[in-house]
Structures are given as structure tokens and as C-alpha cells.
Amino acid sequence: ALPILDTRTDSRIDRRPIKAVVYSSSSTNLNLVAEQIYGNDKIAPENIAEMVGENSQQTVEDMSVELSRFRNGCRQGRNCPICNGWNDLNENTCKNILLEVSDSSEARFLVERERVVRADGEPLSIYRNWVVEEVLEVCIRDPHPLLPARWTDEVWKGYGSQKCLQMASKDDHKGKDWYFGPLPNCKSSDKRIVTLQKWQRCGAFHSRNRWYRGPQLVDAPIKRVKEDVFILCLHSGLSHGLDLSFVTHIFLLEPIDDAALLEQVTSRAHRLGATGPVVVETVNAWVQLDDATKKNCE
């Protein structure tokens, strides 16, 4: 009979926090797995780190940040002094996406994605692509319960908003310039129907090279935010030289028949300095099968 282990006192129980690596030579498979994990209600985006390879838009700095999050369980960065959006420490300008919209009176203003309630009459999904000229319903309440209050017009004039307005008018609003100014007054309702004109990063709207004279992202204080990051999606081409001795689980998305290669992969975690056992599992990732193939497999 197998011995009964008391999880409260038995020293053989692994009490380390779970640190799981999802490993594959296919960026497509890793992205598909990441999408499935993101769709799980019990796992938040901050629980996942990604190093998915050359087919992604990640830079070397981005991947270094992701590995640090996974290893240390915290993220370092700054809040943008303009929109308060979070930016990792390697960012020099704010990467938070802002939407430039116009209402029925042709008034233009910028809104955060968090203010969008509906798009083309449908409730807003978490992941979507924005489309120019689509109709949005936005909340223009300020202060917003989840967002900081905006700077006044007087503050913005000191930061160059008059020049921004002149440049935008000269380009017929087709250029990059606009500013994160006060929202229109909401007398009867805090919701407004608007048309999306364009969207881009906050740092692109507020370019110091063109007109902006206010505080910059690099001037903001550095903050450390604790995160429970327990999953790393790792591309095989990025694993060389990594010390993963703190990892508890490795999930291989395709079988590795070469024993030497398998040993090389697992030795990233099961190596000198490892603080406990490493569980290695192989998950066979298959594309969707047609009905005839499914029938033959039964």
C-alpha cells in the first residue's frame, strides 16, 4: 500500500510556489496556448509571462522584462504623468493606447479604452481590433471611479496645447497631434455616442519633438508592483543559457524524441541550484481535425 502523506508535516511535500514553463518550438502554438489561458476566468493576465520568439513584436528588452516578472514575481515600471497608464521600465514614452473620437457637435477629445462601453451597439469584448469610423458609446464622467482626474485647460496651455491645436487644424486632423484634455461637460448623461477617428500610443499623441512641453514618462518615479506570475510561455529558440532552476513544471507542446535534446531542455530547470523536483509533461498539440479524420481515429 502507498504511504499516506500528511501535507501539513511531511517534508516530502513540495511547498514551493508553482512556476510552470510552457515550452515549444512553434510561436503559433505558444500564442494559441496563451490565448486559451487568457480566456480562463481563474487566471489573470498578470499571472502570465511570454517569450514567444521572432514572430512576435517583442524586443529583447520586452523579453527581459517578462523573464524578470516570472522569476521575481514583481514588475518595475512607471505611471504615465499624462494618462496614468502603466509602462515597463524599459519604455521611454507611454505606450498606452488612447482613442481620438468626435461627437455630434464635432468636438474632438481623447478617451482611454476603459471608458468605452459599447462598440457598434455591442458590449465591448476584452480583445478587439479598433476600426476607424465605428460608433462607440463612451463614459465621459470625470473624475471616473477607475481613472484619475484630468488636467485643466489652463494646465494644458502651459504645456503647449495651443500649438497642438494649430498643428492639428493645419493637418485637417489627419496628423498625430492631439492632447489628453478635459472631457466635454455631461449635463444630462455621463454616456455619449462618438465616432472613432484614430488611435495611437499616448506618447505618439504627445510628442516633445513637435509641441508637448509637460512632464515626461522618464521623469516619473519608478514603482514596483507585486505579481503572482506562475506561467511562462517560452519559445525554444530563446531558452539557451537561461537559468530556470526555480521552475517546478515544464510542459512540452510537442514530443522530443532526441534524448540528448530532451536532456538539454529539462536541464534548464533540473540543474545545480534547483530547490526541488521538476515535473516534465508532454502535451500533444494538434490542429483541428476534419470529420473524416476524427472518424478514423475513433
PDB file of all heavy atoms in Angstrom, residues 48-81:
ATOM      1  N   ILE A  48       0.737  35.640 -16.224  1.00  0.00           N
ATOM      2  CA  ILE A  48       1.385  35.021 -17.380  1.00  0.00           C
ATOM      3  C   ILE A  48       2.524  35.894 -17.887  1.00  0.00           C
ATOM      4  O   ILE A  48       2.387  37.115 -17.994  1.00  0.00           O
ATOM      5  CB  ILE A  48       0.370  34.799 -18.517  1.00  0.00           C
ATOM      6  CG1 ILE A  48      -0.851  34.030 -18.002  1.00  0.00           C
ATOM      7  CG2 ILE A  48       1.011  34.056 -19.681  1.00  0.00           C
ATOM      8  CD1 ILE A  48      -2.010  34.043 -18.954  1.00  0.00           C
ATOM      9  N   ALA A  49       3.657  35.261 -18.203  1.00  0.00           N
ATOM     10  CA  ALA A  49       4.768  35.932 -18.880  1.00  0.00           C
ATOM     11  C   ALA A  49       4.979  35.243 -20.227  1.00  0.00           C
ATOM     12  O   ALA A  49       4.714  34.049 -20.365  1.00  0.00           O
ATOM     13  CB  ALA A  49       6.042  35.871 -18.042  1.00  0.00           C
ATOM     14  N   GLU A  50       5.449  36.009 -21.220  1.00  0.00           N
ATOM     15  CA  GLU A  50       5.594  35.468 -22.564  1.00  0.00           C
ATOM     16  C   GLU A  50       6.951  35.806 -23.166  1.00  0.00           C
ATOM     17  O   GLU A  50       7.381  36.954 -23.140  1.00  0.00           O
ATOM     18  CB  GLU A  50       4.495  35.999 -23.488  1.00  0.00           C
ATOM     19  CG  GLU A  50       3.093  35.575 -23.119  1.00  0.00           C
ATOM     20  CD  GLU A  50       2.066  36.040 -24.126  1.00  0.00           C
ATOM     21  OE1 GLU A  50       2.088  35.527 -25.262  1.00  0.00           O
ATOM     22  OE2 GLU A  50       1.260  36.922 -23.783  1.00  0.00           O
ATOM     23  N   MET A  51       7.609  34.772 -23.687  1.00  0.00           N
ATOM     24  CA  MET A  51       8.811  34.926 -24.516  1.00  0.00           C
ATOM     25  C   MET A  51       8.585  34.029 -25.724  1.00  0.00           C
ATOM     26  O   MET A  51       9.010  32.877 -25.743  1.00  0.00           O
ATOM     27  CB  MET A  51      10.055  34.513 -23.734  1.00  0.00           C
ATOM     28  CG  MET A  51      10.363  35.398 -22.536  1.00  0.00           C
ATOM     29  SD  MET A  51      11.759  34.787 -21.536  1.00  0.00           S
ATOM     30  CE  MET A  51      13.103  34.865 -22.736  1.00  0.00           C
ATOM     31  N   VAL A  52       7.886  34.575 -26.727  1.00  0.00           N
ATOM     32  CA  VAL A  52       7.318  33.727 -27.778  1.00  0.00           C
ATOM     33  C   VAL A  52       8.064  33.785 -29.102  1.00  0.00           C
ATOM     34  O   VAL A  52       7.615  33.210 -30.087  1.00  0.00           O
ATOM     35  CB  VAL A  52       5.829  34.065 -28.012  1.00  0.00           C
ATOM     36  CG1 VAL A  52       5.022  33.705 -26.791  1.00  0.00           C
ATOM     37  CG2 VAL A  52       5.651  35.536 -28.356  1.00  0.00           C
ATOM     38  N   GLY A  53       9.190  34.472 -29.186  1.00  0.00           N
ATOM     39  CA  GLY A  53      10.037  34.309 -30.364  1.00  0.00           C
ATOM     40  C   GLY A  53       9.953  35.379 -31.407  1.00  0.00           C
ATOM     41  O   GLY A  53       9.339  36.421 -31.228  1.00  0.00           O
ATOM     42  N   GLU A  54      10.570  35.060 -32.544  1.00  0.00           N
ATOM     43  CA  GLU A  54      10.818  36.055 -33.582  1.00  0.00           C
ATOM     44  C   GLU A  54       9.562  36.497 -34.312  1.00  0.00           C
ATOM     45  O   GLU A  54       9.553  37.536 -34.959  1.00  0.00           O
ATOM     46  CB  GLU A  54      11.822  35.494 -34.602  1.00  0.00           C
ATOM     47  CG  GLU A  54      11.324  34.320 -35.432  1.00  0.00           C
ATOM     48  CD  GLU A  54      11.365  32.997 -34.692  1.00  0.00           C
ATOM     49  OE1 GLU A  54      11.926  32.969 -33.573  1.00  0.00           O
ATOM     50  OE2 GLU A  54      10.837  31.999 -35.218  1.00  0.00           O
ATOM     51  N   ASN A  55       8.476  35.724 -34.268  1.00  0.00           N
ATOM     52  CA  ASN A  55       7.261  36.109 -34.978  1.00  0.00           C
ATOM     53  C   ASN A  55       6.411  37.099 -34.198  1.00  0.00           C
ATOM     54  O   ASN A  55       5.390  37.563 -34.688  1.00  0.00           O
ATOM     55  CB  ASN A  55       6.412  34.862 -35.293  1.00  0.00           C
ATOM     56  CG  ASN A  55       7.103  33.961 -36.293  1.00  0.00           C
ATOM     57  OD1 ASN A  55       7.876  34.434 -37.123  1.00  0.00           O
ATOM     58  ND2 ASN A  55       6.844  32.667 -36.219  1.00  0.00           N
ATOM     59  N   SER A  56       6.805  37.418 -32.988  1.00  0.00           N
ATOM     60  CA  SER A  56       6.066  38.376 -32.185  1.00  0.00           C
ATOM     61  C   SER A  56       6.685  39.760 -32.343  1.00  0.00           C
ATOM     62  O   SER A  56       7.692  39.943 -33.009  1.00  0.00           O
ATOM     63  CB  SER A  56       6.088  37.967 -30.704  1.00  0.00           C
ATOM     64  OG  SER A  56       7.378  38.161 -30.170  1.00  0.00           O
ATOM     65  N   GLN A  57       6.069  40.754 -31.711  1.00  0.00           N
ATOM     66  CA  GLN A  57       6.582  42.119 -31.748  1.00  0.00           C
ATOM     67  C   GLN A  57       7.445  42.416 -30.525  1.00  0.00           C
ATOM     68  O   GLN A  57       7.786  43.572 -30.281  1.00  0.00           O
ATOM     69  CB  GLN A  57       5.414  43.109 -31.820  1.00  0.00           C
ATOM     70  CG  GLN A  57       4.587  42.971 -33.089  1.00  0.00           C
ATOM     71  CD  GLN A  57       3.444  43.967 -33.149  1.00  0.00           C
ATOM     72  OE1 GLN A  57       3.127  44.634 -32.175  1.00  0.00           O
ATOM     73  NE2 GLN A  57       2.816  44.070 -34.308  1.00  0.00           N
ATOM     74  N   GLN A  58       7.808  41.389 -29.781  1.00  0.00           N
ATOM     75  CA  GLN A  58       8.616  41.598 -28.586  1.00  0.00           C
ATOM     76  C   GLN A  58      10.050  41.964 -28.944  1.00  0.00           C
ATOM     77  O   GLN A  58      10.662  41.364 -29.829  1.00  0.00           O
ATOM     78  CB  GLN A  58       8.623  40.329 -27.729  1.00  0.00           C
ATOM     79  CG  GLN A  58       7.354  40.102 -26.934  1.00  0.00           C
ATOM     80  CD  GLN A  58       7.495  38.882 -26.041  1.00  0.00           C
ATOM     81  OE1 GLN A  58       7.959  37.830 -26.460  1.00  0.00           O
ATOM     82  NE2 GLN A  58       7.085  39.023 -24.794  1.00  0.00           N
ATOM     83  N   THR A  59      10.590  42.946 -28.240  1.00  0.00           N
ATOM     84  CA  THR A  59      12.003  43.275 -28.356  1.00  0.00           C
ATOM     85  C   THR A  59      12.781  42.486 -27.309  1.00  0.00           C
ATOM     86  O   THR A  59      12.192  41.832 -26.436  1.00  0.00           O
ATOM     87  CB  THR A  59      12.225  44.776 -28.145  1.00  0.00           C
ATOM     88  OG1 THR A  59      11.856  45.119 -26.791  1.00  0.00           O
ATOM     89  CG2 THR A  59      11.382  45.594 -29.113  1.00  0.00           C
ATOM     90  N   VAL A  60      14.105  42.560 -27.382  1.00  0.00           N
ATOM     91  CA  VAL A  60      14.941  41.898 -26.385  1.00  0.00           C
ATOM     92  C   VAL A  60      14.636  42.461 -25.001  1.00  0.00           C
ATOM     93  O   VAL A  60      14.573  41.731 -24.001  1.00  0.00           O
ATOM     94  CB  VAL A  60      16.430  42.083 -26.734  1.00  0.00           C
ATOM     95  CG1 VAL A  60      17.311  41.531 -25.620  1.00  0.00           C
ATOM     96  CG2 VAL A  60      16.763  41.402 -28.047  1.00  0.00           C
ATOM     97  N   GLU A  61      14.421  43.781 -24.924  1.00  0.00           N
ATOM     98  CA  GLU A  61      14.102  44.413 -23.639  1.00  0.00           C
ATOM     99  C   GLU A  61      12.771  43.911 -23.095  1.00  0.00           C
ATOM    100  O   GLU A  61      12.628  43.679 -21.891  1.00  0.00           O
ATOM    101  CB  GLU A  61      14.064  45.942 -23.791  1.00  0.00           C
ATOM    102  CG  GLU A  61      15.409  46.600 -24.065  1.00  0.00           C
ATOM    103  CD  GLU A  61      15.841  46.459 -25.523  1.00  0.00           C
ATOM    104  OE1 GLU A  61      15.014  46.014 -26.358  1.00  0.00           O
ATOM    105  OE2 GLU A  61      17.002  46.790 -25.817  1.00  0.00           O
ATOM    106  N   ASP A  62      11.782  43.740 -23.983  1.00  0.00           N
ATOM    107  CA  ASP A  62      10.477  43.231 -23.555  1.00  0.00           C
ATOM    108  C   ASP A  62      10.612  41.832 -22.956  1.00  0.00           C
ATOM    109  O   ASP A  62      10.021  41.526 -21.906  1.00  0.00           O
ATOM    110  CB  ASP A  62       9.506  43.171 -24.738  1.00  0.00           C
ATOM    111  CG  ASP A  62       9.124  44.545 -25.250  1.00  0.00           C
ATOM    112  OD1 ASP A  62       9.198  45.507 -24.460  1.00  0.00           O
ATOM    113  OD2 ASP A  62       8.776  44.661 -26.433  1.00  0.00           O
ATOM    114  N   MET A  63      11.386  40.967 -23.611  1.00  0.00           N
ATOM    115  CA  MET A  63      11.540  39.598 -23.132  1.00  0.00           C
ATOM    116  C   MET A  63      12.316  39.551 -21.825  1.00  0.00           C
ATOM    117  O   MET A  63      12.051  38.710 -20.961  1.00  0.00           O
ATOM    118  CB  MET A  63      12.212  38.749 -24.209  1.00  0.00           C
ATOM    119  CG  MET A  63      11.305  38.503 -25.413  1.00  0.00           C
ATOM    120  SD  MET A  63      12.008  37.389 -26.650  1.00  0.00           S
ATOM    121  CE  MET A  63      13.149  38.512 -27.473  1.00  0.00           C
ATOM    122  N   SER A  64      13.260  40.471 -21.658  1.00  0.00           N
ATOM    123  CA  SER A  64      13.996  40.548 -20.394  1.00  0.00           C
ATOM    124  C   SER A  64      13.064  40.920 -19.251  1.00  0.00           C
ATOM    125  O   SER A  64      13.158  40.365 -18.147  1.00  0.00           O
ATOM    126  CB  SER A  64      15.124  41.577 -20.521  1.00  0.00           C
ATOM    127  OG  SER A  64      15.802  41.741 -19.302  1.00  0.00           O
ATOM    128  N   VAL A  65      12.141  41.837 -19.530  1.00  0.00           N
ATOM    129  CA  VAL A  65      11.147  42.225 -18.523  1.00  0.00           C
ATOM    130  C   VAL A  65      10.254  41.039 -18.163  1.00  0.00           C
ATOM    131  O   VAL A  65       9.955  40.792 -16.979  1.00  0.00           O
ATOM    132  CB  VAL A  65      10.297  43.403 -19.037  1.00  0.00           C
ATOM    133  CG1 VAL A  65       9.087  43.637 -18.137  1.00  0.00           C
ATOM    134  CG2 VAL A  65      11.135  44.678 -19.104  1.00  0.00           C
ATOM    135  N   GLU A  66       9.819  40.280 -19.175  1.00  0.00           N
ATOM    136  CA  GLU A  66       8.944  39.139 -18.935  1.00  0.00           C
ATOM    137  C   GLU A  66       9.635  38.068 -18.088  1.00  0.00           C
ATOM    138  O   GLU A  66       9.037  37.506 -17.166  1.00  0.00           O
ATOM    139  CB  GLU A  66       8.488  38.538 -20.270  1.00  0.00           C
ATOM    140  CG  GLU A  66       7.557  39.414 -21.064  1.00  0.00           C
ATOM    141  CD  GLU A  66       6.236  39.636 -20.365  1.00  0.00           C
ATOM    142  OE1 GLU A  66       5.376  38.740 -20.420  1.00  0.00           O
ATOM    143  OE2 GLU A  66       6.065  40.706 -19.747  1.00  0.00           O
ATOM    144  N   LEU A  67      10.904  37.790 -18.389  1.00  0.00           N
ATOM    145  CA  LEU A  67      11.638  36.791 -17.605  1.00  0.00           C
ATOM    146  C   LEU A  67      11.819  37.262 -16.167  1.00  0.00           C
ATOM    147  O   LEU A  67      11.704  36.468 -15.222  1.00  0.00           O
ATOM    148  CB  LEU A  67      12.995  36.513 -18.247  1.00  0.00           C
ATOM    149  CG  LEU A  67      13.851  35.442 -17.559  1.00  0.00           C
ATOM    150  CD1 LEU A  67      13.125  34.102 -17.536  1.00  0.00           C
ATOM    151  CD2 LEU A  67      15.203  35.306 -18.253  1.00  0.00           C
ATOM    152  N   SER A  68      12.087  38.549 -15.978  1.00  0.00           N
ATOM    153  CA  SER A  68      12.237  39.096 -14.630  1.00  0.00           C
ATOM    154  C   SER A  68      10.934  38.991 -13.849  1.00  0.00           C
ATOM    155  O   SER A  68      10.934  38.674 -12.657  1.00  0.00           O
ATOM    156  CB  SER A  68      12.697  40.556 -14.720  1.00  0.00           C
ATOM    157  OG  SER A  68      12.778  41.141 -13.435  1.00  0.00           O
ATOM    158  N   ARG A  69       9.802  39.251 -14.510  1.00  0.00           N
ATOM    159  CA  ARG A  69       8.495  39.109 -13.859  1.00  0.00           C
ATOM    160  C   ARG A  69       8.289  37.675 -13.388  1.00  0.00           C
ATOM    161  O   ARG A  69       7.822  37.434 -12.270  1.00  0.00           O
ATOM    162  CB  ARG A  69       7.371  39.486 -14.814  1.00  0.00           C
ATOM    163  CG  ARG A  69       7.254  40.958 -15.143  1.00  0.00           C
ATOM    164  CD  ARG A  69       6.111  41.198 -16.115  1.00  0.00           C
ATOM    165  NE  ARG A  69       4.868  40.669 -15.588  1.00  0.00           N
ATOM    166  CZ  ARG A  69       4.062  39.843 -16.256  1.00  0.00           C
ATOM    167  NH1 ARG A  69       4.379  39.421 -17.464  1.00  0.00           N
ATOM    168  NH2 ARG A  69       2.942  39.416 -15.695  1.00  0.00           N
ATOM    169  N   PHE A  70       8.608  36.725 -14.278  1.00  0.00           N
ATOM    170  CA  PHE A  70       8.401  35.307 -13.960  1.00  0.00           C
ATOM    171  C   PHE A  70       9.307  34.871 -12.814  1.00  0.00           C
ATOM    172  O   PHE A  70       8.888  34.139 -11.912  1.00  0.00           O
ATOM    173  CB  PHE A  70       8.679  34.474 -15.209  1.00  0.00           C
ATOM    174  CG  PHE A  70       8.481  32.997 -15.020  1.00  0.00           C
ATOM    175  CD1 PHE A  70       7.251  32.487 -14.647  1.00  0.00           C
ATOM    176  CD2 PHE A  70       9.531  32.111 -15.240  1.00  0.00           C
ATOM    177  CE1 PHE A  70       7.062  31.126 -14.475  1.00  0.00           C
ATOM    178  CE2 PHE A  70       9.353  30.751 -15.085  1.00  0.00           C
ATOM    179  CZ  PHE A  70       8.115  30.250 -14.703  1.00  0.00           C
ATOM    180  N   ARG A  71      10.533  35.303 -12.801  1.00  0.00           N
ATOM    181  CA  ARG A  71      11.492  34.892 -11.787  1.00  0.00           C
ATOM    182  C   ARG A  71      11.219  35.555 -10.436  1.00  0.00           C
ATOM    183  O   ARG A  71      11.224  34.887  -9.388  1.00  0.00           O
ATOM    184  CB  ARG A  71      12.913  35.237 -12.229  1.00  0.00           C
ATOM    185  CG  ARG A  71      13.983  34.907 -11.187  1.00  0.00           C
ATOM    186  CD  ARG A  71      15.330  35.433 -11.607  1.00  0.00           C
ATOM    187  NE  ARG A  71      15.830  34.744 -12.783  1.00  0.00           N
ATOM    188  CZ  ARG A  71      16.495  33.601 -12.753  1.00  0.00           C
ATOM    189  NH1 ARG A  71      16.745  33.004 -11.595  1.00  0.00           N
ATOM    190  NH2 ARG A  71      16.926  33.043 -13.866  1.00  0.00           N
ATOM    191  N   ASN A  72      10.989  36.856 -10.440  1.00  0.00           N
ATOM    192  CA  ASN A  72      10.946  37.624  -9.192  1.00  0.00           C
ATOM    193  C   ASN A  72       9.544  37.912  -8.677  1.00  0.00           C
ATOM    194  O   ASN A  72       9.396  38.380  -7.546  1.00  0.00           O
ATOM    195  CB  ASN A  72      11.693  38.955  -9.385  1.00  0.00           C
ATOM    196  CG  ASN A  72      13.131  38.746  -9.798  1.00  0.00           C
ATOM    197  OD1 ASN A  72      13.821  37.887  -9.255  1.00  0.00           O
ATOM    198  ND2 ASN A  72      13.601  39.528 -10.772  1.00  0.00           N
ATOM    199  N   GLY A  73       8.521  37.688  -9.509  1.00  0.00           N
ATOM    200  CA  GLY A  73       7.154  37.917  -9.055  1.00  0.00           C
ATOM    201  C   GLY A  73       6.820  39.375  -8.837  1.00  0.00           C
ATOM    202  O   GLY A  73       5.961  39.705  -8.008  1.00  0.00           O
ATOM    203  N   CYS A  74       7.480  40.259  -9.580  1.00  0.00           N
ATOM    204  CA  CYS A  74       7.144  41.681  -9.478  1.00  0.00           C
ATOM    205  C   CYS A  74       7.488  42.358 -10.801  1.00  0.00           C
ATOM    206  O   CYS A  74       8.299  41.869 -11.580  1.00  0.00           O
ATOM    207  CB  CYS A  74       7.848  42.357  -8.310  1.00  0.00           C
ATOM    208  SG  CYS A  74       9.616  42.618  -8.564  1.00  0.00           S
ATOM    209  N   ARG A  75       6.849  43.474 -11.027  1.00  0.00           N
ATOM    210  CA  ARG A  75       7.066  44.261 -12.234  1.00  0.00           C
ATOM    211  C   ARG A  75       7.530  45.657 -11.826  1.00  0.00           C
ATOM    212  O   ARG A  75       6.967  46.266 -10.910  1.00  0.00           O
ATOM    213  CB  ARG A  75       5.776  44.354 -13.037  1.00  0.00           C
ATOM    214  CG  ARG A  75       5.890  45.164 -14.328  1.00  0.00           C
ATOM    215  CD  ARG A  75       4.523  45.438 -14.905  1.00  0.00           C
ATOM    216  NE  ARG A  75       3.917  44.256 -15.459  1.00  0.00           N
ATOM    217  CZ  ARG A  75       4.047  43.860 -16.730  1.00  0.00           C
ATOM    218  NH1 ARG A  75       4.779  44.572 -17.567  1.00  0.00           N
ATOM    219  NH2 ARG A  75       3.445  42.773 -17.156  1.00  0.00           N
ATOM    220  N   GLN A  76       8.544  46.155 -12.507  1.00  0.00           N
ATOM    221  CA  GLN A  76       9.012  47.511 -12.274  1.00  0.00           C
ATOM    222  C   GLN A  76       8.588  48.396 -13.440  1.00  0.00           C
ATOM    223  O   GLN A  76       8.659  47.985 -14.602  1.00  0.00           O
ATOM    224  CB  GLN A  76      10.543  47.551 -12.147  1.00  0.00           C
ATOM    225  CG  GLN A  76      11.092  46.863 -10.920  1.00  0.00           C
ATOM    226  CD  GLN A  76      12.565  47.137 -10.735  1.00  0.00           C
ATOM    227  OE1 GLN A  76      12.963  48.152 -10.178  1.00  0.00           O
ATOM    228  NE2 GLN A  76      13.390  46.236 -11.216  1.00  0.00           N
ATOM    229  N   GLY A  77       8.155  49.598 -13.125  1.00  0.00           N
ATOM    230  CA  GLY A  77       7.737  50.496 -14.191  1.00  0.00           C
ATOM    231  C   GLY A  77       7.348  51.860 -13.672  1.00  0.00           C
ATOM    232  O   GLY A  77       7.641  52.219 -12.521  1.00  0.00           O
ATOM    233  N   ARG A  78       6.671  52.606 -14.534  1.00  0.00           N
ATOM    234  CA  ARG A  78       6.237  53.963 -14.199  1.00  0.00           C
ATOM    235  C   ARG A  78       4.806  54.172 -14.679  1.00  0.00           C
ATOM    236  O   ARG A  78       4.377  53.587 -15.670  1.00  0.00           O
ATOM    237  CB  ARG A  78       7.137  55.005 -14.883  1.00  0.00           C
ATOM    238  CG  ARG A  78       8.604  54.976 -14.499  1.00  0.00           C
ATOM    239  CD  ARG A  78       9.348  56.072 -15.257  1.00  0.00           C
ATOM    240  NE  ARG A  78      10.737  56.194 -14.851  1.00  0.00           N
ATOM    241  CZ  ARG A  78      11.753  55.571 -15.444  1.00  0.00           C
ATOM    242  NH1 ARG A  78      11.517  54.771 -16.482  1.00  0.00           N
ATOM    243  NH2 ARG A  78      12.989  55.745 -15.027  1.00  0.00           N
ATOM    244  N   ASN A  79       4.086  55.047 -13.977  1.00  0.00           N
ATOM    245  CA  ASN A  79       2.788  55.505 -14.450  1.00  0.00           C
ATOM    246  C   ASN A  79       2.978  56.781 -15.261  1.00  0.00           C
ATOM    247  O   ASN A  79       3.680  57.700 -14.832  1.00  0.00           O
ATOM    248  CB  ASN A  79       1.835  55.779 -13.287  1.00  0.00           C
ATOM    249  CG  ASN A  79       1.340  54.496 -12.647  1.00  0.00           C
ATOM    250  OD1 ASN A  79       1.732  54.155 -11.539  1.00  0.00           O
ATOM    251  ND2 ASN A  79       0.483  53.768 -13.342  1.00  0.00           N
ATOM    252  N   CYS A  80       2.368  56.822 -16.435  1.00  0.00           N
ATOM    253  CA  CYS A  80       2.484  58.000 -17.295  1.00  0.00           C
ATOM    254  C   CYS A  80       1.898  59.217 -16.587  1.00  0.00           C
ATOM    255  O   CYS A  80       0.776  59.163 -16.071  1.00  0.00           O
ATOM    256  CB  CYS A  80       1.747  57.747 -18.608  1.00  0.00           C
ATOM    257  SG  CYS A  80       1.673  59.185 -19.687  1.00  0.00           S
ATOM    258  N   PRO A  81       2.621  60.344 -16.535  1.00  0.00           N
ATOM    259  CA  PRO A  81       2.083  61.544 -15.882  1.00  0.00           C
ATOM    260  C   PRO A  81       0.903  62.150 -16.633  1.00  0.00           C
ATOM    261  O   PRO A  81       0.157  62.952 -16.057  1.00  0.00           O
ATOM    262  CB  PRO A  81       3.281  62.503 -15.874  1.00  0.00           C
ATOM    263  CG  PRO A  81       4.178  62.021 -16.950  1.00  0.00           C
ATOM    264  CD  PRO A  81       3.993  60.537 -17.025  1.00  0.00           C
TER     265      PRO A  81
END
